[in-house]
Amino acid sequence: MRSLILVLGDQLTPTLTSLAGADPARDRVLMAELWDEAGYVRHHRKKIAFLFSAMRHFAAELRGLGWTVDYVTLDDPDNRGSFTGQLDAAIAQHRPERVVVTEAGEWRVRRMQESWAARFSLPVDILPDERFLCSPASFAAWGAGRKQLRMEYFYRDMRRRTGLLMEGDQPAGGRWNFDAENRKPARADLFMPRPRGVAPDAITREVLALVEARFGDHFGDLEPFWFAVTRADAEAAFAAFVETALPKFGDYQDAMLAGEPFLYHAVIAPYLNCGLLDPLLVCRQVEAAWRAGRVPLNAAEGFIRQIIGWREYVRGIYWLKMPGYERSNFLGHTRKLPGFYWTGETDMACVRAAVTQTREQAYAHHIQRLMITGNFALLAGIDPHELHEWYLAVYADAYEWVELPNTVGMSQFADGGLLASKPYAASGAYIDRMSDYCGGCAYEVKQRTGPRACPFNALYWDFIARHRERIGRNPRMAQMVRTYDKFADAERARIADSAASFLAGL
């Protein structure tokens, strides 16, 4: 055998670089469901089931294309539990001339890949992952010499590079960014679209039984299970989004409604991040829908910005700053993650809704993550590394390259402003404006202090007080520091007491 090609669980793409230059007649593919990967954080059960089922379906897809695939299930007696152990066994069995891999998306696995040549005394070809639009080297070149690595300027370069939503050398509509139009609160709608779900087939039902038996103590509801696990079903789910939800996605992408976990969101990040969907292709389809007059420009631009802007940008930050970025803690926060992040048992209606939805769906949209669970953690001084591991565990779309910069940089300001231009801290007023959570809450959102006041309010001003020296020079936070400084001494004392009392109860 010429080459042994190891395909990882987030590399479910037939045009993967490790496969593109190989020969199905002479080379062999290895895939494996591994305890180390399922348990390095305690992943949501629905996330594990999604990936194992998608991997099994991808192995079948490859076999249909003529490949020989060694697929090692979790309960296979020959399962060695780790990438290195499984490769060791496969090399001993097949005696390949070389091992070929596409570079891993996470630092810890990349380090493993780089150790294999010496460990196995065998050539190991580590090929670039060309499913992304900007390589780590290209991102580093873009950032070289810049005082600030702001996503907006990176995004504009990506628009020029791809030609998406461009009219010559100018942005369509005369503006690069329509985010100001995408902050409308939503209202309940009986006809609100739902993501296209897929009933589990025999393969998925077998995986669900496996996960129930082996990961019963992990977080999250396993059923109902509706994720697409094949390329065709993922593409159909995306097409349904473009047809039914994208027209209103722009207006309501920041909105939150009790009992409506999805609103007008695509819910395709799990499919993009494991390789079932192509990021550039989905952007081209959205652009085509806009040019055909089926969706407004603010919706198309908002969607495309999340893919070629934010998604590519956070990956660039990840590889630029790893290793070490995962331990960033600019604000010095050390409080333990409260238990209600796992149970949802809290009187705060917004946090309860976000955690309950996360447990049920392995999904929450970006504002629920940033401005509910992330905002609370920031205000309460939660250890950002603990929060990072929670986000990594509980969402089906979470891989360290995308989740870590979003948590450490955007949500927790733990990198000191490398990624975000300000801490994304907000009081209950923001949540009340963008959701209907507060109407059914045990706390009073319009009260700043006292036992029934919304905890976000006192915690917000206490956050300003604690970090006034660190954030007071930030032009986007200076006004709030000045506002706090104008409070009477008695009001400052009430804020401190309310915040301390609530935090003591955690």
Side-chain angles (χ1 to χ4, degrees), residues 179-205:
D179 196 41
E181 298 178 15
N182 295 350
R183 299 170 183 167
K184 298 181 178 68
R187 295 181 180 179
D189 183 351
L190 291 175
F191 302 101
M192 191 171 290
R194 296 289 186 272
R196 182 183 184 273
V198 180
D201 63 6
I203 292 175
T204 299
R205 288 195 299 270

Side-chain angles (χ1 to χ4, degrees), residues 379 422-430 433 448 456-457 459-469 471-487 492 495:
L379 300 182
K422 74 176 187 72
Y424 274 81
S427 69
Y430 173 87
R433 182 168 68 253
R448 183 184 294 154
F456 282 83
N457 294 337
L459 290 176
Y460 173 77
W461 290 110
D462 188 61
F463 172 85
I464 298 294
R466 295 197 319 270
H467 297 299
R468 63 185 321 282
E469 296 303 320
I471 66 176
R473 293 184 294 274
N474 185 306
R476 298 185 66 189
M477 296 297 294
Q479 179 58 50
M480 304 315 295
V481 173
R482 290 193 292 269
T483 298
Y484 174 82
D485 288 344
K486 293 176 182 177
F487 289 157
R492 293 189 205 175
I495 288 169

Side-chain angles (χ1 to χ4, degrees), residues 3-310:
S3 298
L4 179 65
I5 305 166
L6 175 64
V7 174
L8 309 185
D10 59 351
Q11 297 180 343
L12 310 183
T13 309
T15 56
L16 196 70
T17 49
S18 56
L19 297 170
D23 181 356
R26 295 195 294 163
D27 302 324
R28 181 180 293 263
V29 173
L30 172 65
M31 298 179 67
E33 302 164 3
L34 300 171
W35 283 103
D36 277 8
E37 298 308 301
Y40 69 93
V41 295
R42 294 175 62 80
H43 293 290
H44 196 298
R45 294 195 298 163
K46 195 166 285 184
K47 177 182 185 179
I48 296 171
F50 163 67
L51 282 172
F52 282 3
S53 182
M55 288 168 65
R56 293 186 186 192
H57 283 89
F58 183 63
E61 180 182 354
L62 289 180
R63 289 181 181 123
L65 295 171
W67 289 97
T68 300
V69 181
D70 288 354
Y71 191 95
V72 183
T73 61
L74 190 76
D75 53 2
D76 190 311
D78 293 326
N79 191 306
R80 301 299 180 88
S82 68
F83 287 128
T84 300
Q86 209 63 55
L87 265 179
D88 193 16
I91 290 168
Q93 179 182 359
H94 298 299
R95 302 295 180 185
E97 297 175 12
R98 65 196 319 103
V99 170
V100 180
V101 294
T102 293
E103 60 186 356
E106 296 190 357
W107 177 263
R108 64 182 182 84
V109 184
R110 182 77 64 83
R111 284 191 301 171
M112 294 181 211
Q113 291 178 329
E114 291 169 351
S115 74
W116 289 337
R119 182 183 183 93
F120 300 128
S121 300
L122 199 67
V124 176
D125 298 339
I126 303 174
L127 305 178
D129 190 343
E130 295 180 351
R131 298 173 302 168
F132 292 91
L133 307 179
C134 181
S135 70
S138 293
F139 185 86
W142 171 81
R146 292 177 183 264
K147 293 182 178 179
Q148 295 180 319
L149 302 179
R150 292 290 173 252
M151 191 279 287
E152 178 64 25
Y153 301 110
F154 172 78
Y155 167 57
R156 294 179 186 184
D157 282 355
M158 292 300 292
R159 287 271 295 276
R160 296 185 185 101
R161 184 185 304 183
T162 61
L164 286 162
L165 298 181
M166 296 296 292
E167 303 289 355
D169 61 354
Q170 295 300 310
R175 290 159 54 189
W176 292 104
N177 187 316
F178 289 81
D179 196 41
E181 298 178 15
N182 295 350
R183 299 170 183 167
K184 298 181 178 68
R187 295 181 180 179
D189 183 351
L190 291 175
F191 302 101
M192 191 171 290
R194 296 289 186 272
R196 182 183 184 273
V198 180
D201 63 6
I203 292 175
T204 299
R205 288 195 299 270
E206 186 176 277
V207 168
L208 292 173
L210 173 71
V211 173
E212 180 66 44
R214 300 302 183 91
F215 299 96
D217 60 345
H218 276 225
F219 174 78
D221 295 351
L222 188 56
E223 299 190 65
F225 186 91
W226 54 269
F227 285 134
V229 292
T230 67
R231 193 168 325 285
D233 281 335
E235 290 169 351
F238 178 68
F241 160 72
V242 173
E243 178 68 24
T244 65
L246 179 59
K248 293 186 177 180
F249 166 75
D251 288 349
Y252 302 115
Q253 65 176 283
D254 287 3
M256 298 170 283
L257 285 178
E260 292 289 352
F262 309 114
L263 282 86
Y264 300 97
H265 289 268
V267 199
I268 62 163
Y271 311 146
L272 283 169
N273 293 351
C274 78
L276 292 180
L277 290 179
D278 180 281
L280 184 57
L281 180 59
V282 298
C283 290
R284 297 279 186 219
Q285 291 175 282
V286 167
E287 180 185 43
W290 167 69
R291 293 194 182 278
R294 300 199 304 272
V295 302
L297 182 55
N298 72 310
E301 187 278 320
F303 178 89
I304 288 171
R305 176 162 24 95
Q306 288 193 3
I307 305 297
I308 69 166
W310 195 251

Side-chain angles (χ1 to χ4, degrees), residues 443 447-462 466 490-506:
Y443 295 105
Q447 290 184 20
R448 183 184 294 154
T449 59
R452 301 320 303 165
C454 170
F456 282 83
N457 294 337
L459 290 176
Y460 173 77
W461 290 110
D462 188 61
R466 295 197 319 270
E491 179 66 4
R492 293 189 205 175
R494 284 190 290 269
I495 288 169
D497 288 346
S498 289
S501 176
F502 180 83
L503 292 173
L506 291 181

Side-chain angles (χ1 to χ4, degrees), residues 225-389:
F225 186 91
W226 54 269
F227 285 134
V229 292
T230 67
R231 193 168 325 285
D233 281 335
E235 290 169 351
F238 178 68
F241 160 72
V242 173
E243 178 68 24
T244 65
L246 179 59
K248 293 186 177 180
F249 166 75
D251 288 349
Y252 302 115
Q253 65 176 283
D254 287 3
M256 298 170 283
L257 285 178
E260 292 289 352
F262 309 114
L263 282 86
Y264 300 97
H265 289 268
V267 199
I268 62 163
Y271 311 146
L272 283 169
N273 293 351
C274 78
L276 292 180
L277 290 179
D278 180 281
L280 184 57
L281 180 59
V282 298
C283 290
R284 297 279 186 219
Q285 291 175 282
V286 167
E287 180 185 43
W290 167 69
R291 293 194 182 278
R294 300 199 304 272
V295 302
L297 182 55
N298 72 310
E301 187 278 320
F303 178 89
I304 288 171
R305 176 162 24 95
Q306 288 193 3
I307 305 297
I308 69 166
W310 195 251
R311 184 174 184 267
E312 296 284 335
Y313 170 77
V314 296
R315 179 176 181 258
I317 291 288
Y318 177 81
W319 286 109
L320 188 67
K321 295 300 178 181
M322 286 294 283
Y325 190 65
E326 76 281 6
R327 291 292 178 180
S328 301
N329 194 353
F330 173 73
L331 297 174
H333 288 170
T334 58
R335 192 178 303 278
K336 295 292 184 182
L337 189 75
F340 57 66
Y341 273 72
W342 300 105
T343 66
E345 295 174 1
T346 172
D347 287 338
M348 293 179 288
C350 58
V351 176
R352 184 172 64 247
V355 173
T356 299
Q357 172 186 322
T358 298
R359 184 182 67 241
E360 293 173 349
Q361 305 291 351
Y363 169 80
H365 71 66
H366 66 290
I367 295 299
Q368 293 172 306
R369 302 187 202 193
L370 178 64
M371 300 309 297
I372 303 296
T373 51
N375 183 26
F376 180 85
L378 176 66
L379 300 182
I382 304 303
D383 183 330
H385 189 75
E386 284 201 24
L387 186 69
H388 145 60
E389 291 193 330

